[in-house]
Amino acid sequence: MTYRIDEDPLAEVRSARAEILHLAEPQDPCVQLSLSLLGAPTTADLLSQRKPLDDVLTERAEDLAELAAHTWQEWAQQMQTRIKNWAGRKRPYTFEREMEIAGRLGAWVMIPEDPDWPEQLHDLGADEPFALWGRGDRTLLQHLSLQGSVAVVGSRDTTSYGNSATTHLAGDLAAQGYTIVSGGAFGIDAVAHRSALVTAAGPLSTVALMAGGVDRPYPKHNEQLLSEVIQRGLLLSEVPLSYQPTRWRFLQRNRLIAALASVTVVVEARWRSGALNTAHHALEIGREVRVVPGQIFSPNSEGCHRLLRDGLAQITTSASDITESLNQHLQPEQEHLFESPETSEIGQLSEAEQRIWDALPLRNFAATEHLGVMAGVEGRNLLLGLSQLAQKGLAEQTAQGWRKSKAYKKAT
């Protein structure tokens, strides 16, 4: 369907966010703050230097007044630095031209203001993407739910064991209607996508997150596979059209893989692996992480065993391990677990979990860093504790931070 800018009520915001993808770095907190305070059109005007920062500070003083004086002054200084550093990215840009090119590819751009924006991406908070480019049937986005999606990631240089494990796990999950999310790379990613395409019983078989533009599926060797993903699933990227993938783009896109799925499964991963990066992103936003154990002498499984050793993940040997976890609901006879610390799961918490639980606010939200200070628990132990509390239904996270869960509050 040809995009008509005059028929799009969000055209101004969509155009601005699409331009910001060209000008800014993903996960930039300064840009995110500008978007929340000033909106996408003004932020795009600033980054493109169509409007001087001093003029914006004067015109939007009332909006910036929401911030403490030192905070907005620091933001202004940081924004000025970014405008200067990113000046080389400025180029003649027209949204109409970009959408014309996109139309020939069957590509589209969605923004957080769209009704079909995946809500689970809000859990990334300040790391939420400014916009996403996509290829495939956009109506399939309605089936991209958190509880219905599982990420399957791992090494590029796989073993026959890793390929077999991935085929069974991803294939069995897809056959039960789950969407398989991965990165389209060699190895485990490719096997996961192929298995999902072969066995899919649900409307959305698989989603591939690219580190480059969706018009340049990468790696080239997987072009046929990614073409099938476009035909029967979705190809997504926060990188503009025509952009080539770079090393840091792969690391940045890993957070999107983790955020889109309720569980991240690591099949094979070396001691240093991009799959481990995805797993840590999942833990940071309270998602469950599972790993497939390997041979103790296999370097391809060192990263998996490392996650298990550090208590950051659970073992998975079949799809039923994952589906049982996803389908867990409180039974009526279990509701008493939330009645009091003496009789509930709260009384069974570890010391670190208890500290984090005590630090969690009941109504407002607290940032992860603040909870670490209040609880006296830091780093890996803090992320693990929050993840475990979320799995037990005792904590919840939104873009604003963490607090005690609604289930607990309702019961008390």
Side-chain angles (χ1 to χ4, degrees):
M1 182 181 293
T2 303
Y3 174 80
R4 291 287 301 275
I5 194 169
D6 58 325
E7 296 177 353
D8 181 7
L10 294 171
E12 183 182 18
V13 178
R14 195 180 312 281
S15 172
R17 284 186 173 273
E19 184 177 17
I20 290 169
L21 291 183
H22 288 279
L23 298 169
E25 280 297 308
Q27 298 181 265
D28 189 283
C30 187
V31 175
Q32 285 287 13
L33 183 56
S34 179
L35 285 167
S36 63
L37 291 174
L38 305 176
T42 299
T43 301
D45 286 341
L46 280 173
L47 294 175
S48 65
Q49 300 183 42
R50 286 190 295 269
K51 185 174 289 188
L53 179 59
D54 289 342
D55 289 356
V56 171
L57 294 176
T58 301
E59 295 171 5
R60 305 295 295 273
E62 186 174 338
D63 297 309
L64 293 170
E66 297 180 24
L67 301 174
H70 72 278
T71 302
W72 78 257
Q73 290 171 359
E74 181 180 356
W75 167 81
Q77 292 174 354
Q78 292 178 353
M79 182 59 82
Q80 188 62 64
T81 300
R82 284 158 172 75
I83 292 170
K84 179 180 178 181
N85 291 344
W86 296 339
R89 301 179 180 184
K90 187 176 63 172
R91 61 180 182 178
Y93 174 82
T94 64
F95 182 59
E96 294 83 353
R97 174 59 178 162
E98 189 164 41
M99 292 308 295
E100 181 184 332
I101 296 171
R104 293 198 292 267
L105 294 167
W108 34 268
V109 61
M110 62 175 171
I111 56 178
E113 292 80 1
D114 281 325
D116 58 356
W117 180 262
E119 291 187 2
Q120 55 266 45
L121 291 176
H122 294 321
D123 292 344
L124 289 169
D127 289 337
E128 186 174 12
F130 307 134
L132 284 176
W133 280 96
R135 291 180 71 181
D137 183 355
R138 182 166 175 167
T139 63
L140 291 175
L141 285 170
Q142 64 183 302
H143 303 291
L144 183 54
S145 67
L146 177 61
Q147 288 303 313
S149 303
V150 176
V152 180
V153 296
S155 294
R156 287 170 170 78
D157 56 333
T158 61
T159 65
S160 58
Y161 166 76
N163 291 337
S164 178
T166 304
T167 298
H168 284 288
L169 283 172
D172 289 351
L173 288 167
Q176 296 180 57
Y178 288 93
T179 298
I180 303 301
V181 182
S182 199
F186 291 122
I188 298 300
D189 289 16
V191 175
H193 290 306
R194 287 194 184 97
S195 300
L197 289 167
V198 168
T199 65
L204 179 56
S205 59
T206 190
V207 177
L209 276 297
M210 297 287 97
V214 294
D215 57 330
R216 299 187 178 185
Y218 182 90
K220 192 74 173 177
H221 182 76
N222 284 351
E223 187 172 6
Q224 180 58 42
L225 169 63
L226 296 174
S227 177
E228 291 182 39
V229 171
I230 293 170
Q231 293 300 315
R232 300 170 54 193
L234 292 171
L235 199 71
L236 301 177
S237 177
E238 66 178 333
V239 180
L241 299 180
S242 80
Y243 279 51
Q244 295 284 2
T246 56
R247 184 180 182 277
W248 66 88
R249 297 288 191 199
F250 285 102
L251 296 176
Q252 288 172 330
R253 70 90 195 265
N254 286 344
R255 79 190 194 284
L256 305 181
I257 295 175
L260 286 175
S262 55
V263 178
T264 292
V265 181
V266 183
V267 180
E268 284 189 320
R270 289 179 174 269
W271 187 259
R272 293 182 180 274
S273 167
L276 298 186
N277 177 258
T278 305
H280 284 289
H281 280 302
L283 290 169
E284 285 175 353
I285 56 174
R287 302 284 198 264
E288 185 177 349
V289 175
R290 289 180 168 269
V291 301
V292 174
Q295 297 179 356
I296 61 173
F297 302 112
S298 173
N300 282 59
S301 293
E302 286 182 346
C304 295
H305 298 157
R306 178 181 174 186
L307 288 170
L308 291 172
R309 182 202 67 188
D310 294 344
L312 297 175
Q314 300 180 58
I315 286 179
T316 283
T317 57
S318 68
S320 62
D321 293 341
I322 300 165
T323 56
E324 288 173 6
S325 175
L326 290 173
N327 292 329
Q328 279 183 350
H329 295 287
L330 287 175
Q331 301 299 322
E333 63 271 18
Q334 292 178 306
E335 291 181 355
H336 70 279
L337 291 176
F338 291 100
E339 289 179 1
S340 70
E342 291 75 24
T343 60
S344 75
E345 204 169 339
I346 299 171
Q348 308 298 320
L349 299 178
S350 67
E351 180 182 349
E353 291 170 348
Q354 184 69 61
R355 287 186 181 183
I356 299 169
W357 163 256
D358 290 340
L360 285 169
L362 187 60
R363 294 180 178 83
N364 299 321
F365 291 91
T368 304
E369 296 79 5
H370 176 72
L371 288 173
V373 173
M374 295 298 294
V377 181
E378 299 179 350
R380 177 187 303 153
N381 291 332
L382 175 63
L383 296 178
L384 176 61
L386 286 168
S387 178
Q388 290 175 335
L389 288 173
Q391 291 176 35
K392 294 172 182 177
L394 299 176
E396 62 184 8
Q397 184 191 36
T398 70
Q400 288 76 44
W402 288 88
R403 67 179 178 184
K404 291 181 171 65
S405 71
K406 292 179 181 178
Y408 169 80
K409 291 183 288 182
K410 183 177 179 181
T412 56

